[in-house]
Amino acid sequence: MAADPSVAVVRPAVGVLALQGDVAEHLRALRESGAAPAVVRRPDELDRVDGLVIPGGESTTMWKLIDVFGLAEQLRKRISGGMPVFGSCAGLILLADRLPDPASGQQTLGGIDMTVRRNAFGRQVDSFERDLVVAGLSGRPYHAVFIRAPWVEDVGPGVEILATDPGTSRIVAVRQARALATSFHPELTPDRRIHQMFVNMVRDQA
Ligand code: GLN
């Protein structure tokens, strides 16, 4: 079939913060979701992307590296300036405006008006899977993998709740303007609907 020249095929440049965590999995998921992925470790690499993923991993380590690499100020500026951003698990923690139980010295980038409790599901089970109904995704439920996962304890009025865990009724996916965050790891499962949702957010903005 001939391509319709009126429809631009846009592969937006989406960065993955590549300091620690499951970077390769996000790069692959983004590629499969129609983006042109790029690693971001330095401020000039952040300048070149239209959106950013903050991966799952360990939020205290990631914060230390953000600090050491001198990225905090520019990350905060881009996020508050409206760059689309998606955080999974540790990434959700880094996007929280409030942490009730930070590790010593741990800060966040902020961007979503929410309180996030780290390792909240951890004492019951370290890792589990759940079928979730996620707002904005059509078709079958979303099969989500949680690993030492945080939950969202409360959200401000501007935050849309996209999914709650049916086991605990806790909030596990949210969106505020151009910031998206999940307690679980869409990069670790083959269903690409969450990454596609994010790539569409970037495309709408690019
Ligand atoms: N519990 C981890 C933290 O505090 C997050 C776990 C994850 O990203 N799988 O950063």
Side-chain angles (χ1 to χ4, degrees):
M1 201 168 65
D4 179 351
S6 67
V7 179
V9 180
V10 186
R11 279 182 90 81
V14 179
V16 178
L17 188 63
L19 302 175
Q20 191 267 336
D22 40 15
V23 173
E25 291 84 350
H26 272 294
L27 290 169
R28 179 177 169 188
L30 287 167
R31 201 173 302 116
E32 291 175 359
S33 304
V39 296
V40 169
R41 289 195 189 90
R42 298 191 314 257
D44 62 302
E45 291 170 330
L46 184 58
D47 283 341
R48 291 199 284 269
V49 296
D50 302 315
L52 183 73
V53 171
I54 304 177
E58 216 289 312
S59 61
T60 59
T61 308
M62 226 181 285
W63 169 257
K64 278 185 201 145
L65 293 170
I66 286 170
D67 203 23
V68 166
F69 279 60
L71 280 164
E73 191 188 321
Q74 206 196 344
L75 280 168
R76 285 182 172 137
K77 209 161 91 193
R78 288 288 310 269
I79 293 168
S80 63
M83 172 184 68
V85 62
F86 166 40
S88 64
C89 202
L92 169 137
I93 295 169
L94 280 157
L95 289 175
D97 282 353
R98 295 172 297 279
L99 296 183
D101 58 350
S104 153
Q106 180 178 19
Q107 292 182 40
T108 69
L109 297 167
I112 300 183
D113 181 8
M114 61 179 174
T115 306
V116 166
R117 190 165 293 276
R118 298 176 54 226
N119 303 319
F121 289 104
R123 253 160 282 157
Q124 303 161 49
V125 261
D126 281 344
S127 176
F128 60 97
E129 302 182 15
R130 284 262 205 279
D131 283 336
L132 303 176
V133 174
V134 180
L137 299 190
S138 53
R140 65 196 184 285
Y142 189 89
H143 189 72
V145 172
F146 294 77
I147 302 166
R148 301 183 76 76
W151 66 41
V152 179
E153 249 169 40
D154 63 59
V155 296
V159 179
E160 188 188 352
I161 295 167
L162 300 183
T164 53
D165 164 42
T168 58
S169 301
R170 294 293 182 169
I171 301 165
V172 292
V174 293
R175 179 176 174 176
Q176 180 172 21
R178 293 178 203 123
L180 175 70
T182 61
S183 298
F184 51 92
H185 291 269
E187 69 279 16
L188 298 183
T189 47
D191 190 334
R192 293 291 173 243
R193 287 178 293 168
I194 301 271
H195 282 84
Q196 279 160 5
M197 179 193 278
F198 180 60
V199 171
N200 285 336
M201 285 165 61
V202 180
R203 213 176 258 133
D204 288 348
Q205 199 49 37

